[in-house]
């Protein structure tokens, strides 16, 4: 007998939103505002308390502190906040005493506990990315699994967001604008998939075991937890989630958790997240660079950290450089903490400063595997694409093969006949901001054209990516006003408005998502005898092509690093990628692989 599957009925949720001053008279005001509506007082609700901060000079929009919560009894819960929480938490006392604080209560007849918990979690994920929200309180992450109406959650949340946006557009901008922000993509409030959830549980169990044991492990070094996975498999989201929960966990001590990253642009994002969530309240260095952490924690009398989380650990240096006087940043970190959680992808090692050979990587994995501390993520979480498309991109960079481009209704993978066509397409997408999924489209290129940071070429103009008569400046060169320059300090490269007229490299885009990427593959990537061949002599990336001393010998790993550079650039686009290759044979091979359906500008 054939098994029948129940079909969840389509439910039309039309949430109501009531806005009242947040003070001791809230209940009377809410009853009056809602006319005693039972949807507010008798059903589960979600609430948002916002406090408008004092106006800052030259500020175009006001700044807010926001608290998000959910409850089965809005009256009782608000009394707890006003009467109890104000006695033990300074943030709640400030909300109670502020003349500008308001409470928005959202209700609907179909709201249930699981649904309101998910709405609360999703609201925190979105509000974290709103520019004029300075602080976001309630740092709980509690996404639900399956429940009645869970399959319709995206539509339900969109309705809730629109209802709130009608009341307070300055707090609730267009969803599509938020979804393009770097903070949103690295938010700790993303719902984790089954593999990530299982990995998180294993990591917390291991952290608890190590921290409760006074003995150190692995020969006076920290316990290593190794999160492996290729680009786009959700490593950063898992790490961000772990970071938020560990800072707020009773497992760890005061100032006992640090998140480290060597990537300048990613550092900006994590610092913003930590600041908005108050994770840096007692520790300004809760997010910092590895060198700073090592230098501070090697000082006499400084206690080891409980847990260090290292994002993009493949960017850790493996020899002395600049202010770092050691020989291996990871080895130093293992001596300065009880647990070190690292995110690692050997296909994203980009410079000789970071180089590890396969033997060193295998040893690192074995150290973690001895105690079951290796978490491998395989599901593609970044790219909205079919597995065949993801395999095609992997084969292009890693296996150095150009196969026919597969059909994919979800992902727009196109080969352009000229670089100008790529730029025109990216520019058009950028001009359609707010129309999902168009915004956050940028140009990228392999590092095959000269660029010297903070210096100008002899003609005093800009360092450019040049193909024939077409050219565009390299990253971070387009001039901006002093006001915009100040604003850009809190924005990643791709989020700065002027960068639509620039081309980014791996040094500005690694670790970030774009909705659409336009990629110029430079002359260091060629096609000979049916295979991609990397030509280090055509690259301007000296950090990848210079020789390196490794285990007492001079080695050159340029081809391996240029392969990784191409791999990183090919995997930035969430919804699409447009390619042009400078090498004529590679361009011909790509156009042949594209056929008629995958040529940019053709139907």
């Amino acid at each position: 007998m054939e098994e029948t599957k129940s079909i969840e009925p389509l439910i039309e949720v039309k949430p109501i939103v009531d806005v009242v001053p947040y003070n001791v008279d809230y209940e009377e005001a809410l009853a009056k505002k809602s006319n005693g509506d039972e949807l507010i007082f008798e059903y589960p609700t979600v609430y948002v308390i916002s406090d408008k901060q004092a106006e800052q000079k030259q500020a175009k929009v006001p700044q807010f502190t926001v608290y998000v919560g959910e409850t089965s009894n809005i009256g009782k819960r608000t009394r707890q906040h006003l009467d109890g929480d104000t006695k033990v938490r300074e943030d709640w006392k400030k909300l109670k005493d502020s003349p500008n604080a308001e409470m928005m209560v959202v209700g609907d007849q179909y709201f249930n506990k699981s649904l309101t918990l998910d709405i609360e979690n999703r609201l925190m994920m979105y509000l974290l990315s709103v520019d004029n929200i300075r602080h976001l309180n309630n740092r709980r992450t509690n996404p639900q699994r399956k429940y009645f109406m869970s399959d319709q959650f995206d539509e339900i949340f969109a309705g809730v967001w629109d209802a709130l946006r009608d009341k307070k557009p300055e707090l609730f901008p267009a969803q599509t604008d938020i979804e393009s922000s770097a903070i949103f993509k690295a938010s700790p409030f993303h719902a984790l998939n089954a593999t990530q959830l299982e990995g998180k549980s294993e990591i917390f169990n291991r952290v608890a075991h190590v921290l409760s044991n006074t003995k150190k492990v692995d020969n006076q070094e920290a316990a290593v937890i190794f999160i492996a996975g290729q680009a786009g498999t959700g490593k950063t989201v898992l790490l961000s989630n772990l970071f938020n929960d560990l800072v707020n966990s009773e497992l760890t001590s005061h100032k006992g958790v640090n998140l480290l990253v060597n990537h300048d642009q990613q550092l900006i994002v994590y610092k913003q997240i930590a600041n908005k969530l108050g994770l840096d309240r007692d520790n300004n260095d809760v997010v910092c660079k590895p060198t700073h952490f090592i230098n501070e924690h090697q000082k006499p009398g400084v206690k080891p950290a409980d847990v260090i989380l290292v994002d993009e650990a493949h960017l850790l240096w493996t020899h002395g450089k600049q202010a770092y006087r050691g020989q291996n940043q990871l080895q130093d970190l293992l001596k300065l903490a009880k647990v070190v959680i690292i995110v690692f992808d050997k296909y994203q090692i980009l410079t000789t400063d970071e180089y590890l050979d396969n033997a060193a990587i295998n040893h690192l994995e074995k150290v973690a595997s001895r105690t079951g501390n290796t978490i491998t993520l395989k599901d593609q979480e970044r790219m909205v694409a079919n597995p065949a498309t993801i395999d095609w991109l992997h084969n292009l960079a890693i296996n150095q093969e150009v196969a026919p481009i597969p059909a994919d209704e979800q992902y727009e993978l196109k080969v352009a006949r000229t670089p100008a066509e790529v730029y025109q397409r990216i520019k058009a997408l950028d001009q359609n901001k707010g129309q999902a999924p168009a915004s956050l489209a940028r140009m990228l290129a392999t590092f095959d054209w000269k660029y010297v940071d903070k210096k100008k070429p002899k003609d005093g103009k800009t360092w450019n990516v040049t193909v024939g008569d077409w050219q565009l400046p390299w990253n971070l060169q387009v001039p901006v006003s002093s006001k915009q320059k100040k604003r850009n300090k809190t924005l990643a490269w791709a989020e700065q408005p002027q960068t639509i007229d620039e081309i980014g490299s791996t040094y500005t885009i690694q670790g970030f998502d774009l909705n659409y990427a336009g990629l110029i593959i430079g002359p260091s990537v060629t096609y000979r005898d049916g295979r991609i061949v990397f030509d280090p002599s055509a690259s301007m990336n000296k950090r990848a092509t210079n020789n390196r001393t490794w285990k007492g010998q001079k080695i050159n790993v340029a081809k391996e690093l240029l392969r990784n550079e191409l791999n990183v650039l090919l995997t930035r686009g969430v919804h699409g990628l447009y390619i042009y290759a400078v090498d004529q044979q590679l361009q011909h091979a790509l156009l042949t692989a594209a056929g008629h359906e995958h040529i940019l500008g053709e139907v």
Side-chain angles (χ1 to χ4, degrees), residues 177-188:
D177 290 344
I178 288 178
E179 289 165 359
S180 294
S181 74
I183 289 182
F184 180 85
K185 296 173 189 297
S187 170

Side-chain angles (χ1 to χ4, degrees), residues 8-16 46 106-108 110-112 114-116 118-120 122-123 147-164 175:
E8 188 176 281
L10 290 176
I11 303 297
E12 186 177 9
V13 176
K14 295 181 179 180
I16 63 169
V46 179
V106 188
D108 187 90
Y110 292 108
F111 278 8
N112 58 64
S114 292
L115 179 58
T116 55
D118 258 3
I119 293 172
E120 175 195 35
R122 184 73 65 89
L123 279 173
Y147 55 86
F148 176 62
M149 296 194 302
S150 62
D151 291 342
Q152 302 172 52
F153 178 72
D154 288 342
E155 293 81 5
I156 292 169
F157 178 78
V160 169
W161 187 268
D162 288 343
L164 288 164
Q175 279 186 255

Side-chain angles (χ1 to χ4, degrees), residues 20 71 74 166 189 232 294 344 348 424 568:
V20 297
T71 181
I74 188 63
D166 286 342
F189 302 119
I294 291 168
F344 198 92
Q348 292 195 61
Q424 289 166 5
V568 167

Side-chain angles (χ1 to χ4, degrees), residues 51-279:
D51 181 22
K52 184 178 178 180
Q53 307 294 301
E55 296 281 351
Q56 291 183 327
K57 290 182 178 180
Q58 300 180 340
K60 288 186 177 180
V61 292
Q63 299 289 302
F64 292 87
T65 291
V66 172
Y67 180 93
V68 182
E70 63 80 38
T71 181
S72 298
N73 187 326
I74 188 63
K76 180 180 178 181
R77 186 69 182 118
T78 308
R79 283 194 297 275
Q80 289 174 342
H81 288 321
L82 289 167
D83 298 337
D85 291 340
T86 53
K87 296 175 182 177
V88 294
R89 284 180 54 174
E90 183 63 26
D91 52 351
W92 280 110
K93 186 176 185 305
K94 287 181 178 179
L95 283 173
K96 179 182 179 180
D97 294 341
S98 173
N100 300 319
E102 291 184 316
M103 181 165 65
M104 290 160 276
V105 185
V106 188
D108 187 90
Q109 63 177 324
Y110 292 108
F111 278 8
N112 58 64
K113 186 66 172 179
S114 292
L115 179 58
T116 55
L117 282 168
D118 258 3
I119 293 172
E120 175 195 35
N121 196 78
R122 184 73 65 89
L123 279 173
M124 288 190 290
M125 182 170 72
Y126 275 72
L127 291 172
L128 181 63
S129 302
V130 176
D131 287 342
N132 52 326
I133 292 180
R134 185 183 300 173
H135 297 296
L136 178 65
N137 295 323
N138 186 354
R139 295 169 292 280
R140 175 179 60 184
T141 56
N142 194 21
Q144 302 298 291
R145 302 301 295 273
K146 283 288 185 179
Y147 55 86
F148 176 62
M149 296 194 302
S150 62
D151 291 342
Q152 302 172 52
F153 178 72
D154 288 342
E155 293 81 5
I156 292 169
F157 178 78
V160 169
W161 187 268
D162 288 343
L164 288 164
R165 181 167 163 75
D166 286 342
K167 300 287 185 178
K168 295 286 179 183
E170 66 269 35
L171 281 179
F172 301 91
Q175 279 186 255
T176 51
D177 290 344
I178 288 178
E179 289 165 359
S180 294
S181 74
I183 289 182
F184 180 85
K185 296 173 189 297
S187 170
F189 302 119
H190 282 283
L192 303 182
N193 63 31
T195 303
Q196 291 169 321
L197 281 171
E198 183 180 352
K200 179 181 176 180
S201 177
E202 291 177 12
I203 290 169
F204 258 84
N205 289 339
R206 181 58 178 161
V207 169
H209 173 76
V210 172
L211 296 185
S212 64
N213 190 337
T214 56
K215 294 181 180 180
K216 291 186 177 180
V217 295
D218 289 334
N219 299 321
Q220 304 300 311
E221 291 187 347
V224 178
I225 298 177
F226 194 96
I227 303 175
Q230 295 184 21
T233 51
K235 302 184 298 298
T236 292
V237 166
L238 175 57
L239 193 79
S240 180
N241 188 286
L242 285 165
F243 171 56
N244 180 62
D245 285 5
L246 284 168
V247 171
N248 291 301
S249 173
E250 295 181 357
L251 283 174
T252 56
S253 61
H254 181 62
K255 296 186 179 181
V257 179
N258 292 83
L259 190 153
L260 312 179
V261 60
N262 252 343
H263 193 284
D264 290 338
Q265 301 296 316
Q266 197 74 353
L267 189 71
I268 292 172
V269 173
Y270 281 129
K271 279 186 172 291
Q272 282 185 286
I273 290 174
N275 184 256
K276 286 193 173 191
L277 295 179
L279 305 181

